[in-house]
């Protein structure tokens, strides 16, 4: 029987229709060139006419009677393993089952699980099996389902912090697909947008306390910018004195020990100019005046 050989080599017995036995070991020499895929298809079509003992013999060899059933089974096993590892089924669209990871069945290695789940949820793939997927905890509401499990978001935030020294992720920040500092599972993640959704309590609200304990600032972005400007003004005053105004072109210097790292590169002069001329952050006027910023002063 050739099925055990195929299964030994490919770690499953779902033989493609086009499969032909290659002229190499460990395949029996007398069967080199055998159209095994076509013979398997033929046996599938005869299942109802086979003797029970024949069906049992094929079952014991790992016979796959339905490709669709096999693929659904792979997705189910993928969902089960993913949930056991990450605690939920918020599977990233780009998630691929890693190779050489014993926690996953061998025939799942390299499977584009994220893509498969996206097809199931949004393209109606395997619609007849929906109840089976739902029984495993898969939801079909795209808007209420975060794209990533919280464990991966936390991991990405911690890596960002290790690189930048803070958790103030820019809104437009996306983890590059080739950034080796991050694990493969989070590359391509729109970390800036996710962080904003967390701040506005649209995602991961149940983990807010954990994020605060990590030091992630959970104020709205406008308040965070006001915090940065106020802190930068205080630092500027310590360096240059109370009487010196902040030039419009002044940018907090990179690498300056006089400023916290998260302020490096801040266009402080431009921010102060807009506060005075255009009324930016007018609801926070008292805070700016408290750090010594003269809001009414005319710019020259």
């Amino acid at each position: 029987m050739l099925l055990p050989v195929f299964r030994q080599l490919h770690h499953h017995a779902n033989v493609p229709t086009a499969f032909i036995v290659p002229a190499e070991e460990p395949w029996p020499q007398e069967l080199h060139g055998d159209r095994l895929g076509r013979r398997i298809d033929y046996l599938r079509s005869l299942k109802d006419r086979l003797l029970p003992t024949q069906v049992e013999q094929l079952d014991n060899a790992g016979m796959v009677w339905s490709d669709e059933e096999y693929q659904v089974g792979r997705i189910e096993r993928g969902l089960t393993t993913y949930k056991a590892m990450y605690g939920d089924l918020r599977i990233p669209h780009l998630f691929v089952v890693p190779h050489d990871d014993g926690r996953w069945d061998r025939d799942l290695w390299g499977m584009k699980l994220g893509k498969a789940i996206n097809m199931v949820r949004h393209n109606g793939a395997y619609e007849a099996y929906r109840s089976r997927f739902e029984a495993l905890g898969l939801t079909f509401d795209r808007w209420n389902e975060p794209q990533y499990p919280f464990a991966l978001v936390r991991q990405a935030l911690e890596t960002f912090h290790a690189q930048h020294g803070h958790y103030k992720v820019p809104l437009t920040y996306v983890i590059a697909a080739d950034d080796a500092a991050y694990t493969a599972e989070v590359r391509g993640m729109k970390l800036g947008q996710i962080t904003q959704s967390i701040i506005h309590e649209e995602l991961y609200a149940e983990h807010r306390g954990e994020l605060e304990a990590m030091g992630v600032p959970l104020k709205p972005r406008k308040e965070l910018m006001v915090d940065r400007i106020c802190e930068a003004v205080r630092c500027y005053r310590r360096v240059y004195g109370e009487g010196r105004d902040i030039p419009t072109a002044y940018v907090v210097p990179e690498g300056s020990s006089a400023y916290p790292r998260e302020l490096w590169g801040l266009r402080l002069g431009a921010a102060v100019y807009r506060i005075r001329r255009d009324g930016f952050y007018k609801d926070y006027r008292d805070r700016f005046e408290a750090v010594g910023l003269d809001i009414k002063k005319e710019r020259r």
Side-chain angles (χ1 to χ4, degrees):
M1 192 68 178
L2 296 179
L3 265 179
V5 180
F6 184 94
R7 191 174 188 178
Q8 175 189 346
L9 295 174
H10 299 277
H11 309 289
H12 66 84
N14 190 36
V15 184
T17 301
F19 182 80
I20 298 174
V21 174
E24 59 187 33
E25 293 184 350
W27 297 97
Q29 186 174 359
E30 66 274 14
L31 293 176
H32 289 175
D34 184 272
R35 296 182 179 276
L36 179 61
R38 288 190 179 181
R39 291 208 290 131
I40 292 296
D41 274 358
Y42 181 64
L43 285 171
R44 286 171 174 166
S45 69
L46 291 177
K47 183 180 181 182
D48 292 340
R49 286 178 277 173
L50 295 175
L51 296 173
T53 54
Q54 293 175 313
V55 173
E56 183 180 4
Q57 183 181 6
L58 289 166
D59 283 341
N60 291 337
M63 178 72 171
V64 174
W65 297 101
S66 165
D67 176 70
E68 182 176 71
E69 186 71 33
Y70 171 72
Q71 298 302 339
V72 168
R74 290 181 78 218
I75 293 172
E76 288 178 321
R77 287 183 286 125
L79 289 172
T80 301
T81 303
Y82 190 97
K83 189 171 186 178
M85 291 174 61
Y86 296 106
D88 55 43
L89 293 177
R90 296 165 181 168
I91 303 175
H93 294 174
L94 297 178
F95 181 80
V96 178
V97 175
H99 287 270
D100 301 316
D101 189 333
R103 293 173 295 181
W104 298 86
D105 292 342
R106 284 291 298 271
D107 67 318
L108 299 184
W109 291 2
M111 179 184 182
K112 296 179 179 179
L113 184 60
K115 183 178 180 179
I117 296 305
N118 189 58
M119 293 290 289
V120 167
R121 276 189 173 130
H122 310 313
N123 291 47
Y126 306 117
E127 180 67 25
Y129 300 88
R130 176 167 176 155
S131 61
R132 284 170 53 174
F133 297 135
E134 288 179 326
L136 293 172
L138 187 68
T139 63
F140 285 77
D141 186 343
R142 74 173 72 190
W143 304 114
N144 291 337
E145 186 74 9
Q147 185 179 359
Y148 297 89
F150 177 72
L152 288 182
V153 174
R154 174 173 179 147
Q155 177 193 114
L157 285 168
E158 289 173 339
T159 303
F160 181 91
H161 184 273
Q163 287 189 310
H164 301 279
H166 61 85
Y167 287 109
K168 296 172 182 176
V169 186
L171 178 61
T172 57
Y173 185 81
V174 178
I175 299 172
D178 60 352
D179 193 334
Y182 292 87
T183 60
E185 294 94 334
V186 301
R187 292 173 195 163
M189 178 188 287
K190 296 178 180 178
L191 187 58
Q193 290 184 12
I194 289 174
T195 302
Q196 276 301 291
S197 295
I198 291 172
I199 289 170
H200 292 291
E201 299 188 51
E202 296 168 352
L203 290 176
Y204 311 112
E206 68 274 21
H207 296 285
R208 199 170 181 87
E210 185 177 344
L211 290 164
E212 288 176 334
M214 289 168 59
V216 179
L218 296 181
K219 293 181 181 179
R221 185 163 295 274
K222 189 175 183 179
E223 289 188 29
L224 291 175
M225 180 54 74
V226 170
D227 289 347
R228 295 182 75 209
I229 293 170
C230 289
E231 180 60 21
V233 169
R234 279 192 288 265
C235 294
Y236 185 91
R237 296 281 183 250
R238 284 196 293 267
V239 174
Y240 297 105
E242 296 292 333
R244 183 173 174 178
D245 198 24
I246 303 171
T248 302
Y250 184 78
V251 178
V252 175
E254 297 283 344
S256 174
S257 60
Y259 294 85
R261 186 175 178 180
E262 62 266 26
L263 298 182
W264 295 353
L266 174 66
R267 299 174 60 193
L268 180 59
V272 171
Y273 180 76
R274 290 183 175 182
I275 289 168
R276 286 172 171 160
R277 189 195 69 175
D278 301 324
F280 274 32
Y281 308 118
K282 61 182 178 181
D283 294 337
Y284 300 91
R285 180 174 181 144
D286 290 346
R287 289 192 57 191
F288 293 135
E289 291 179 339
V291 296
L293 192 61
D294 186 354
I295 302 297
K296 296 180 181 180
K297 187 168 183 175
E298 294 292 329
R299 304 302 311 216
R300 296 181 181 179

